[in-house]
């Protein structure tokens, strides 16, 4: 099964720029690339920070843009979003009995679980007992392999300024115990960090990637100062099979020349 993952679209009002870039134009370019190159994917998942300020007009813009996708699109909530406004614009989004934006989809590759890690009033995340109880039930009912999608990572990434607004430590420890006990989660897709990060946690493969708009500088030492840059955006093409999970990051705005081995491409002089 081919699945597209991208994250942190940070849409503002129509036509509005953010940190000198247009999140709207970036998302449009991303959608055009997916439609042209990966229209055979089964699903596209956006792992949160869909909007920058949770404006109703930004959610409306998101709906218009993703409506152009030739493949289904699943939204996950992030800390920059607003739960009620998001659900007002997308009433079809699944919610659990407590109102958290959590749902499950069964696919040929396994059970996909979309989680809500938002804690109101802070950019940090939470995955409280109510959410974990819901997740435990979904894991129990999942017939085979499971893939998780959430905004915050449930572990420290080493980027200290971002880890300070990561998932609550006690919630993360409890989530880890739950997932280890279940034992059939194959991969965790997340957002929030605006950087390509891959590895394993609790025996589970994980990945995230750059945002659509602005990126976080790779700084593993400074704890109290978050810095951004404009490394190019990307989306991920994930190939989920019985024996393997393969993830390709695609810098879809790269316009450098394509050339064959042995050819001499024309390069811009530095
Ligand atoms: Fe973000």
């Amino acid at each position: 099964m081919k699945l597209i993952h991208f994250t942190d679209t940070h849409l503002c009002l129509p036509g509005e720029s953010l940190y000198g870039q247009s999140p709207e134009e970036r998302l449009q370019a991303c959608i055009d690339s997916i439609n042209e190159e990966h229209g055979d994917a089964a699903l596209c998942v956006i792992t949160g920070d869909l909007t920058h300020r949770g404006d109703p007009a930004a959610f409306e813009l998101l709906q218009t843009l993703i409506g152009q996708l030739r493949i289904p699109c699943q939204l996950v909530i992030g800390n920059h979003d607003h739960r009620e406004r998001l659900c007002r614009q997308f009433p079809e989004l699944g919610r659990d009995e407590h109102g958290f934006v959590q749902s499950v989809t069964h696919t040929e590759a396994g059970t996909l679980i979309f989680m809500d890690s938002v804690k109101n009033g802070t950019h940090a995340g939470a995955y409280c007992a109510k959410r974990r109880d819901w997740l435990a039930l979904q894991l129990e009912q999942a017939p085979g392999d499971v893939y998780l999608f959430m905004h915050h990572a449930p572990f420290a990434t080493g980027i200290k300024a971002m880890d300070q607004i990561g998932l609550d430590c006690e919630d993360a420890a409890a989530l880890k115990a739950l997932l280890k006990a279940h034992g059939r989660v194959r991969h965790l897709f997340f957002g929030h960090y605006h950087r390509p990060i891959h590895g394993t946690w609790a025996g589970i493969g994980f990945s995230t990637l750059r945002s659509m708009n602005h990126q976080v500088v790779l700084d593993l030492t400074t704890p109290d100062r978050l810095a951004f840059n404009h490394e190019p955006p990307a989306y991920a093409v994930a190939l989920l099979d019985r024996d393997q999970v393969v993830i390709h990051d695609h810098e879809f705005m790269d316009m450098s020349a394509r050339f064959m081995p042995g050819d001499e491409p024309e390069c811009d002089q530095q």
Side-chain angles (χ1 to χ4, degrees):
M1 176 176 148
K2 182 193 272 192
L3 179 144
I4 304 295
H5 172 215
F6 60 93
T7 195
D8 292 75
T9 43
H10 282 263
L11 282 175
C12 299
L13 302 177
E16 185 183 353
S17 65
L18 176 65
Y19 301 124
Q21 300 292 338
S22 167
E24 179 180 349
E25 289 176 13
R26 292 279 183 95
L27 179 54
Q28 181 68 65
C30 176
I31 287 168
D32 291 346
S33 171
I34 293 167
N35 282 342
E36 193 179 323
E37 300 175 62
H38 301 289
D40 60 337
L43 181 69
C44 167
V45 183
I46 314 176
T47 46
D49 283 2
L50 309 164
T51 65
H52 191 57
R53 291 181 298 262
D55 297 307
F59 285 123
E60 205 178 319
L61 177 61
L62 176 68
Q63 189 172 51
T64 301
L65 290 170
I66 63 174
Q68 300 171 25
L69 275 167
R70 293 190 188 138
I71 58 177
C73 184
Q74 173 70 46
L75 304 177
V76 173
I77 190 170
N79 52 286
H80 276 264
D81 298 314
H82 184 287
R83 200 176 273 116
E84 297 311 318
R85 291 181 203 147
L86 168 66
C87 292
R88 208 171 300 139
Q89 191 68 42
F90 298 93
E92 70 278 14
L93 269 179
R95 302 182 80 169
D96 68 17
E97 61 176 321
H98 299 290
F100 293 110
V101 187
Q102 306 204 104
S103 62
V104 171
T105 299
H106 298 285
T107 71
E108 61 181 80
T111 301
L112 313 187
I113 303 182
F114 308 105
M115 299 157 65
D116 179 337
S117 62
V118 169
K119 184 178 181 181
N120 290 336
T122 170
H123 286 306
Y127 206 70
C128 60
K130 287 176 182 170
R131 285 174 263 199
R132 293 196 302 275
D133 287 347
W134 174 88
L135 177 62
L137 188 63
Q138 310 316 312
L139 293 171
E140 203 180 295
Q141 293 175 347
D145 291 336
V146 172
Y147 297 86
L148 302 180
F149 299 81
M150 63 193 298
H151 185 67
H152 298 80
F155 50 84
T157 62
I159 301 176
K160 294 185 172 57
M162 286 302 292
D163 289 338
Q164 287 185 349
I165 53 168
L167 201 78
D168 175 271
C169 289
E170 288 183 12
D171 288 355
L175 177 60
K176 184 179 185 180
L178 173 62
L179 297 179
K180 280 193 113 168
H182 175 259
R184 290 202 314 271
V185 178
R186 297 195 70 200
H187 198 85
L188 165 66
F189 298 86
F190 58 93
H192 192 51
Y193 299 86
H194 294 224
R195 287 213 59 76
I197 308 173
H198 314 268
T200 57
W201 165 76
I204 299 166
F206 66 73
S207 60
T208 185
L209 66 168
R210 295 195 192 112
S211 98
M212 272 304 123
N213 196 69
H214 52 289
Q215 318 307 343
V216 168
V217 170
L218 178 58
D219 179 352
L220 303 179
T221 56
T222 312
D224 53 358
R225 197 181 67 240
L226 188 57
F228 296 141
N229 67 15
H230 280 308
E231 293 171 29
Y235 64 82
V237 182
L239 306 174
L240 314 180
D241 287 314
R242 189 180 302 259
D243 298 326
Q244 60 185 38
V245 174
V246 176
I247 297 177
H248 302 272
D249 286 1
H250 182 21
E251 293 183 3
F252 58 92
M253 295 185 80
D254 173 57
M255 293 296 150
S256 61
R258 293 190 178 191
F259 52 94
M260 303 296 286
D263 287 355
E264 194 64 37
E266 284 185 23
C267 293
D268 293 336
Q269 296 297 315
Q270 295 295 316

